[in-house]
Amino acid sequence: MSIYTLALESSCDETSASVLKDGRTVLSNVISSQVPIHRKFGGVVPEIASRHHIEQVIPVIDQALRDANVTLQDIDHIGVTYGPGLVGALLVGVAAAKGLSFATGIPLIPVHHMEGHIFANFLANPELEPPFLSLVVSGGHTMLVHVKGYEEFDILGQTRDDAAGEAFDKIARVMGFPYPGGPHIDALALEGNPDAIEFPKALSEPGNFEFSFSGLKSAVLNYLNSKQQKNEPINQADVAASFQKAIVDVLVEKTRDAAHTLGETRITIAGGVSANKGLQTALQKMCEKEGFTYYKPHKILSTDNAAMIGCRAYYMAQAGKFADLTLNAKPSVEIGHVSWKED
């Protein structure tokens, strides 16, 4: 007998609902994006995001159920992102999920947003099973995670300051690109020389799996300011290519070293920045050279969506990890810990 999961995601600026069958078959994945709304502010405004989630959450759930051709009576459990993310945005999804659970008696599952990103790989690659190494790169997070089992995660290292996606967006904004800036840098980098400017790579000593991108961001800003003060021409394509190379090289090298350290041959990529073509190409080449198997999610599953949350929720349900109606949003929560109760 099939198991149906309804999932909700509202951690940042996408309101999404999805229905999955048996954890890995996506029957619907409705995403209402707020990117055009936040673009004029140059980034996500939390208060505005929350208001739009409130407007969209019920229509998005209705649409997901319709698209999947199921009703709430068919749903076995409800998964919802409870953290990390913007607290006001998270609260909308959590409140909607709790309301549905209370009204219907359908069990509730609290999903960690970044675990959801990792599990997006299962939707694109039916043959994938743990253990594997996952490079998680998004606007708010950069980390290397050893996925030992469906319920066992070991963080090898994470960013000490800016996440890779955050650095992309900040440099893009300085260079005059609209939000979100990462895809603009990625496209422009194809036209530039990645070896034109040497930008710093932090924490590059062997065996260090931590990340730091604030120094790189400062170096790029200093380079641009220096050129402007001297009235010297700036080759934007070269800046984009060199900046992107500095980030990509660090991500790929640390992933390679971590895989060798662990003896893992399966590599997955997860998070919004996993859609970056420069990073995908470099990671794929490295995996081919090292004899690793490389997995990535479909593009629509790289950015925030409820299908990945539904996949994670399914495996949590198998492990009996449910929440009660005291579930609350947690803007900051570590991966691998179901800690939805108040401390």
Side-chain angles (χ1 to χ4, degrees):
M1 199 163 135
S2 294
I3 292 175
Y4 292 92
T5 307
L6 171 65
L8 306 182
E9 154 63 27
S10 67
S11 65
C12 190
D13 61 341
E14 266 94 19
T15 319
S16 181
S18 175
V19 177
L20 274 70
K21 185 172 88 171
D22 298 329
R24 292 208 186 193
T25 303
V26 180
L27 301 181
S28 65
N29 190 26
V30 181
I31 303 169
S32 173
S33 175
Q34 300 177 20
V35 166
I37 295 158
H38 297 284
R39 185 167 282 148
K40 58 178 168 285
F41 304 108
V44 177
V45 181
E47 170 70 13
I48 294 172
S50 303
R51 289 174 184 272
H52 281 277
H53 284 307
I54 291 167
E55 289 172 11
Q56 294 297 322
V57 67
I58 299 302
V60 161
I61 292 168
D62 287 343
Q63 188 66 50
L65 291 167
R66 272 199 304 274
D67 288 357
N69 200 24
V70 298
T71 67
L72 280 172
Q73 282 72 40
D74 300 308
I75 300 299
D76 292 285
H77 44 247
I78 300 167
V80 62
T81 304
Y82 77 101
L86 302 173
V87 67
L90 288 165
L91 279 166
V92 177
V94 168
K98 281 164 66 172
L100 284 172
S101 178
F102 176 72
T104 61
I106 300 170
L108 189 61
I109 302 168
V111 178
H112 189 290
H113 180 72
M114 301 316 294
E115 290 173 21
H117 272 302
I118 292 170
F119 277 57
N121 281 283
F122 292 127
L123 299 175
N125 307 286
E127 74 285 3
L128 180 62
E129 300 279 346
F132 55 82
L133 176 65
S134 193
L135 172 64
V136 184
V137 268
S138 70
H141 299 82
T142 301
M143 59 177 82
L144 276 166
V145 182
H146 188 198
V147 182
K148 295 178 176 178
Y150 287 110
E151 300 305 318
E152 200 177 351
F153 309 91
D154 184 15
I155 299 175
L156 302 176
Q158 53 192 325
T159 183
R160 292 184 183 175
D161 41 60
D162 293 0
E166 194 181 347
F168 269 117
D169 284 340
K170 284 179 179 172
I171 294 302
R173 189 160 67 220
V174 170
M175 291 175 73
F177 293 115
Y179 168 83
H184 296 282
I185 296 276
D186 191 20
L188 186 59
L190 293 170
E191 301 168 26
N193 173 9
D195 300 312
I197 311 151
E198 190 156 340
F199 290 126
K201 298 173 190 175
L203 309 177
S204 54
E205 59 272 14
N208 186 336
F209 303 126
E210 301 279 299
F211 299 92
S212 171
F213 297 110
S214 65
L216 167 62
K217 190 182 70 183
S218 298
V220 179
L221 293 175
N222 290 341
Y223 175 86
L224 293 170
N225 289 337
S226 171
K227 286 284 190 186
Q228 283 165 350
Q229 283 166 2
K230 295 172 186 170
N231 279 326
E232 291 176 6
I234 297 169
N235 185 325
Q236 284 211 317
D238 283 354
V239 173
S242 301
F243 165 63
Q244 178 156 296
K245 182 178 188 289
I247 288 184
V248 167
D249 283 356
V250 167
L251 294 173
V252 172
E253 285 161 16
K254 286 182 184 283
T255 302
R256 179 196 64 210
D257 292 349
H260 283 305
T261 301
L262 295 169
E264 283 295 351
T265 58
R266 289 183 287 189
I267 311 289
T268 73
I269 189 168
V273 182
S274 69
N276 180 286
K277 290 188 178 61
L279 176 56
Q280 279 189 13
T281 303
L283 207 54
Q284 194 159 358
K285 280 182 182 169
M286 180 275 285
C287 287
E288 285 168 5
K289 185 182 171 191
E290 302 290 334
F292 299 150
T293 311
Y294 169 58
Y295 301 91
K296 65 176 190 202
H298 298 310
K299 190 176 180 183
I300 193 69
L301 298 178
S302 296
T303 49
D304 293 351
N305 68 91
M308 66 184 195
I309 302 302
C311 180
R312 178 70 190 109
Y314 170 82
Y315 287 101
M316 289 180 73
Q318 304 295 299
K321 292 183 174 176
F322 295 98
D324 57 33
L325 293 175
T326 63
L327 176 64
N328 204 353
K330 282 212 153 185
S332 179
V333 58
E334 195 169 312
I335 204 166
H337 298 277
V338 182
S339 57
W340 50 268
K341 288 192 178 290
E342 286 302 312
D343 297 325

